[in-house]
Amino acid sequence: MILELDCGNSFIKWRVLEAGRANVYAEGVVGSNIALIESLWAVPNLLLTRCRLVSVRALEETDKLVETLVEAFGVTVSCATSAVEMAGVHNGYEDFQRLGLDRWLAILGGYKLASGACLVLDFGTAATADFVAADGQHLGGFICPGMPLMRNQLRTHTHKIRYDDAAAERALERLSPGRTTAEAVERGCMLMLRGFVLTQIELARAYWGDDFTVFLTGGDADLVCDAVPQARVVPDLVFVGLAMACPLS
């Protein structure tokens, strides 16, 4: 069995694949290394043989996770790294190593699935957009706060904005003007996120007309998918790129 990990700023997304197959045997999201090990130990008949991961965390944190995995399961761990070019995609950053690894892998995955020009929109702690031309040239992208950052900044820096997660969830049931603080904040942040998406699509059309594929990925992709009905929602797009960057065959 193959363990795949996407170690983001806030959470670790994991899944276990059956060796030689694309089938997902088990998967989950956790908030710490300890929770990851506990979740894996709870998987019935788990027999890990290999592991590959992508991490946007500090090197020390990533190294500690690798050590923990080796101690717990005795697996060899392959870590994705940056590249100037891979699988027909040319990294568009002036310093290729400064492009976040999660973005790089999502770009690789999007280009592979699209077989042409694509716009990759990722919604996690931050919201990111990346443009890849039909010839594989990454044109660059944009980064702005995602829903978690927007709401937390308002909660932190505005004393009278206080509400719980349940109120936040209820607030997003519709997008009419808010009549409570929770509704006003959550719906305002949602509309800012959708506005970000629509401006990216306009720019992509200026580049390629209608000849491009839009991908939505990340934990909050469902918040904007109805605003972009033509988009392909691929929750595990980073894992598609991870398999390309760290082949284990």
Side-chain angles (χ1 to χ4, degrees):
M1 294 178 176
I2 298 171
L3 173 63
E4 296 185 326
L5 302 176
D6 177 5
C7 307
N9 293 299
S10 303
F11 300 100
I12 300 173
K13 186 175 184 179
W14 64 271
R15 70 180 191 178
V16 175
L17 304 180
E18 296 184 71
R21 303 181 183 179
N23 297 343
V24 177
Y25 183 77
E27 61 185 341
V29 179
V30 294
S32 68
N33 294 355
I34 294 175
L36 172 64
I37 300 303
E38 291 176 347
S39 296
L40 290 171
W41 277 338
V43 175
N45 304 313
L46 183 69
L47 183 60
L48 295 180
T49 56
R50 293 169 290 181
C51 173
R52 56 190 170 205
L53 68 80
V54 55
S55 175
V56 299
R57 301 183 173 192
L59 181 60
E60 295 78 8
E61 292 182 77
T62 303
D63 287 345
K64 180 60 179 177
L65 174 58
V66 171
E67 291 174 9
T68 301
L69 291 168
V70 172
E71 290 174 3
F73 302 105
V75 292
T76 299
V77 181
S78 299
C79 299
T81 59
S82 300
V84 174
E85 188 171 2
M86 181 178 292
V89 180
H90 187 85
N91 191 317
Y93 261 31
E94 294 178 359
D95 178 354
F96 75 94
Q97 293 180 313
R98 298 293 295 174
L99 177 64
L101 278 172
D102 53 345
R103 286 175 64 194
W104 175 235
L105 296 187
I107 290 166
L108 292 178
Y111 186 69
K112 176 182 179 180
L113 296 180
S115 299
C118 61
L119 169 62
V120 178
L121 300 168
D122 194 338
F123 302 95
T125 303
T128 63
D130 283 286
F131 298 76
V132 188
D135 63 359
Q137 177 63 51
H138 173 228
L139 304 180
F142 297 94
I143 305 173
C144 74
M147 282 291 287
L149 281 179
M150 285 193 283
R151 69 161 62 96
N152 289 341
Q153 284 296 303
L154 285 168
R155 285 176 173 179
T156 300
H157 296 289
T158 308
H159 294 301
K160 292 187 178 181
I161 293 182
R162 295 289 183 273
Y163 55 89
D164 58 24
D165 292 340
E169 186 174 347
R170 289 194 301 272
L172 291 175
E173 291 175 356
R174 59 183 61 86
L175 285 178
S176 56
R179 301 184 66 182
T180 66
T181 298
E183 290 176 354
V185 170
E186 291 295 316
R187 294 173 189 177
C189 291
M190 166 81 86
L191 291 174
M192 288 190 71
L193 204 62
R194 292 187 177 203
F196 173 77
V197 170
L198 295 178
T199 58
Q200 306 314 302
I201 292 175
E202 287 178 8
L203 182 54
R205 284 183 176 143
Y207 282 132
W208 308 307
D210 291 323
D211 192 16
F212 66 97
T213 304
V214 181
F215 291 100
L216 303 180
T217 191
D220 284 333
D222 60 317
L223 297 180
V224 299
C225 60
D226 61 336
V228 198
Q230 75 272 31
R232 293 177 60 181
V233 181
V234 185
D236 295 328
L237 191 58
V238 168
F239 285 140
V240 176
L242 179 59
M244 298 164 67
C246 298
L248 297 177
S249 57

